[in-house]
Amino acid sequence: MLEISRIRNEKETIIEGLKKRNIDATETLNQILGLDQEWRATKTQLESISAELNSLAKEIGQLFKEGKQAEANTAKTKTSELKDSESKLKERVDELDKEITQLLYTLPNVPNELVQSGRDEKDNETVFEFGQTPEFNFEPLPHWELAKKLNLIDFELGVKVTGAGFPFYRGKGARLQRALIAFFLDEAHNAGYEEFIPPHVVNEASGYGTGQLPDKEGQMYYIGADDLYLIPTAEVPLTNIFRDVILPDDKFSIKLTGYTPCFRREAGSYGKDVRGLNRLHQFDKVEIVRVEHPDNTAAALEEMIEHVKGLLEKLGLQYRILRLCGGDTGFASAMTYDFEVYSAAQDKWLEVSSCSRFDTFQSNRLKLRFKGADKKTQLCHTLNGSALALPRIVAALLENHQTEEGVVIPEVLRKYTGFDSI
RNA sequence: GGAGAGUUGGCAGAGUGGUCGAUUGCGGCGGUCUUGAAAACCGUUGUACCGAGAGGUACCGGGGGUUCGAAUCCCUCACUCUCCGCCA
């Protein structure tokens, strides 16, 4: 959520920035500023009436104490009129408050100056490429066929027990999952991230804190009996650790990591790119989350990108990094880099990681602040990234490292898997 | 699931209708003393909003009510803890 103070001061900059998302925010911003003006005027009125009432109440108390009943009762009658207008003004202030917040919720984050304007994924810029497209002297199989042939993943069993998008991993397939999770967590640990095992369900306040609610309500599995939500990513519990927190400014940088299963309803996304592991309702992911002083955000994002690059290179996967254009950048993000690995057998690029800086957009909702040397509180910056999401990594590993004899496990994973091929 | 107790400032913990944004202790910050530190002593120490400023308003788990006046009384919701039951 954008800060109202920023809208007051930098309206034109925000309008320019949001154009990169193909959004003309002029009208919304004017509407907000209009309501804000009324809000402030009404609030000033309200507060002066409250002040008057407060002092009257004190006087009446004093009169009672002095035994001046009659005078006290006269004073009492004076208050009723004031109370009337107080409650009317209060009502209006609350109303305006709500309307402003409602409008603020509709505005996405302002893109960073590096972000290009653009409509969709076709306008994303490739900023880095690594590796060679693997060549095969046989017809490479897509991962869903390899998974079946090698008995690694059972999609039909998942359908039977739960439904589509909830596969069983089995045998070496299951052990490969566990190996990847351990590998990713160890790498994050070595890079200075503190490891967490967070809850896999969160309450409503946490959903609002990271912005899944109210905008993406339909994407989360909801447990009605207890009013809880299954997490769509570890970002939600990990970032909400800092909800309503004021940090001392010597605490930075804060670096967290956690593995969790992720649950996404993916409502409305059927029929496209959903084969095999490409899109699931439950998948595993290791997430990295950072809370930063605004001065260090750019460096932190660079560091996260280097970290993810390292992971992919150690796994021997060809990849590219895209800086998303305005239209493709997520609602809360100021700038996002997507990592895509090349899938040989599907002949397409699969998104395996997304690293974003949110600047104050999340922390404003979270009320995550720090107190600087000048004793002023200001909003922290948050960032997060996947390091990494498993399914498409598994898909790429199977497809790109396949031979006619089977699948070769990358060197770095072998101490975790206990086997070097499948 | 049953019964009970609780939720107050960074923490601990007072406060049962007016002078309470809130006693006190600890912690934090500043100072005195000291070569330095500790101890002791003194001072200071919540957040947000409105206002050019003076100043004002709101917040004692959330929401509502009673009252001229609520941390304090009433209603309601949420959460936490203890005991019992069940249980990995």
Side-chain angles (χ1 to χ4, degrees):
Chain A
M1 184 162 69
L2 294 177
E3 300 138 83
I4 185 84
S5 58
R6 192 167 160 201
I7 293 176
R8 285 180 198 146
N9 301 328
E10 304 171 27
K11 178 179 144 192
E12 294 307 321
T13 320
I14 293 172
I15 290 174
E16 278 314 299
L18 289 180
K19 276 186 187 160
K20 291 198 270 189
R21 290 183 184 267
N22 313 302
I23 291 171
D24 183 4
T26 315
E27 199 180 318
T28 309
L29 291 182
N30 285 337
Q31 223 175 325
I32 290 173
L33 288 173
L35 291 168
D36 180 54
Q37 205 159 34
E38 190 189 343
W39 178 81
R40 287 200 277 178
T42 315
K43 181 140 177 145
T44 307
Q45 259 185 75
L46 168 65
E47 289 186 353
S48 71
I49 286 178
S50 300
E52 206 172 325
L53 276 168
N54 283 345
S55 74
L56 268 175
K58 265 184 196 161
E59 277 174 39
I60 291 168
Q62 194 56 36
L63 289 172
F64 272 123
K65 220 170 231 173
E66 292 166 6
K68 297 175 179 165
Q69 299 285 339
E71 283 180 52
N73 284 325
T74 322
K76 270 199 207 180
T77 59
K78 279 209 296 192
T79 62
S80 75
E81 204 178 311
L82 284 172
K83 281 178 70 174
D84 240 32
S85 42
E86 186 194 35
S87 71
K88 275 200 193 96
L89 288 170
K90 186 164 190 309
E91 214 169 285
R92 184 63 187 147
V93 167
D94 289 347
E95 221 173 79
L96 288 165
D97 235 333
K98 236 179 237 161
E99 283 173 39
I100 292 169
T101 309
Q102 217 57 45
L103 285 171
L104 284 175
Y105 274 151
T106 66
L107 289 172
N109 205 348
V110 179
N112 187 277
E113 58 266 26
L114 291 175
V115 174
Q116 305 283 302
S117 57
R119 197 149 286 282
D120 51 33
E121 63 266 24
K122 288 191 283 297
D123 298 321
N124 294 336
E125 313 162 66
T126 303
V127 294
F128 188 81
E129 289 180 84
F130 174 89
Q132 308 266 308
T133 306
E135 286 177 24
F136 301 96
N137 47 17
F138 59 96
E139 189 59 37
L141 297 172
H143 68 268
W144 53 87
E145 284 181 32
L146 283 167
K148 184 159 196 168
K149 185 173 121 191
L150 301 170
N151 206 21
L152 303 175
I153 304 170
D154 197 323
F155 292 96
E156 288 77 15
L157 214 47
V159 169
K160 171 186 173 187
V161 172
T162 306
F166 293 94
F168 277 85
Y169 301 84
R170 61 193 303 174
K172 283 184 170 176
R175 293 171 69 192
L176 177 60
Q177 289 286 117
R178 187 154 54 82
L180 282 164
I181 292 162
F183 169 63
F184 292 149
L185 283 173
D186 281 354
E187 290 286 313
H189 169 82
N190 292 338
Y193 292 86
E194 185 188 356
E195 183 175 338
F196 282 76
I197 300 179
H200 297 172
V201 292
V202 294
N203 57 29
E204 191 182 24
S206 295
Y208 276 95
T210 29
Q212 276 70 30
L213 296 174
D215 350 314
K216 297 176 220 156
E217 185 136 32
Q219 286 295 348
M220 282 195 289
Y221 287 97
Y222 174 60
I223 305 164
D226 295 295
D227 203 16
L228 296 170
Y229 297 83
L230 286 178
I231 57 171
T233 159
E235 167 197 342
V236 179
L238 288 181
T239 310
N240 271 285
I241 291 172
F242 299 98
R243 176 153 45 83
D244 293 318
V245 165
I246 299 179
L247 297 161
D249 70 343
D250 58 1
K251 273 277 196 305
F252 298 118
S253 302
I254 295 173
K255 303 165 72 175
L256 318 178
T257 186
Y259 151 73
T260 67
C262 301
F263 302 91
R264 300 188 182 178
R265 295 186 61 230
E266 301 290 4
S269 69
Y270 294 96
K272 193 178 164 228
D273 296 337
V274 298
R275 281 258 2 226
L277 295 170
N278 289 350
R279 178 162 288 143
L280 300 172
H281 288 306
Q282 178 185 327
F283 63 95
D284 296 301
K285 180 160 63 68
V286 172
E287 182 81 358
I288 52 179
V289 168
R290 302 180 63 136
V291 178
E292 294 286 347
H293 188 285
D295 292 345
N296 196 48
T297 307
L301 185 58
E302 276 315 304
E303 215 180 292
M304 289 165 67
I305 287 162
E306 287 307 311
H307 179 72
V308 175
K309 278 161 95 171
L311 297 177
L312 293 171
E313 285 168 29
K314 284 174 190 171
L315 292 175
L317 293 172
Q318 182 193 7
Y319 69 90
R320 65 182 187 188
I321 304 176
L322 309 174
R323 180 164 50 224
L324 301 189
C325 71
D328 207 25
T329 300
F331 189 82
S333 171
M335 180 158 68
T336 297
Y337 289 98
D338 269 7
F339 286 72
E340 296 184 338
V341 296
Y342 182 69
S343 149
Q346 298 181 68
D347 187 27
K348 66 178 178 195
W349 294 90
L350 303 175
E351 183 194 331
V352 293
S353 174
S354 193
C355 295
S356 304
R357 54 181 286 179
F358 301 96
D359 297 356
T360 59
F361 199 84
Q362 280 188 330
S363 55
N364 188 31
R365 270 204 208 182
L366 287 163
K367 295 202 174 59
L368 163 55
R369 291 160 293 177
F370 70 95
K371 193 174 279 207
D374 57 359
K375 300 266 184 187
K376 282 243 164 79
T377 56
Q378 57 174 308
L379 295 169
C380 299
H381 280 193
T382 59
L383 303 93
N384 66 48
S386 8
L388 290 160
L390 292 235
R392 295 174 195 156
I393 288 290
V394 170
L397 283 177
L398 295 179
E399 290 173 4
N400 294 5
H401 294 333
Q402 65 182 299
T403 65
E404 277 175 299
E405 289 75 45
V407 176
V408 180
I409 299 294
E411 187 64 41
V412 290
L413 281 183
R414 292 180 189 172
K415 70 171 173 177
Y416 297 101
T417 53
F419 49 83
D420 50 22
S421 68
I422 300 176

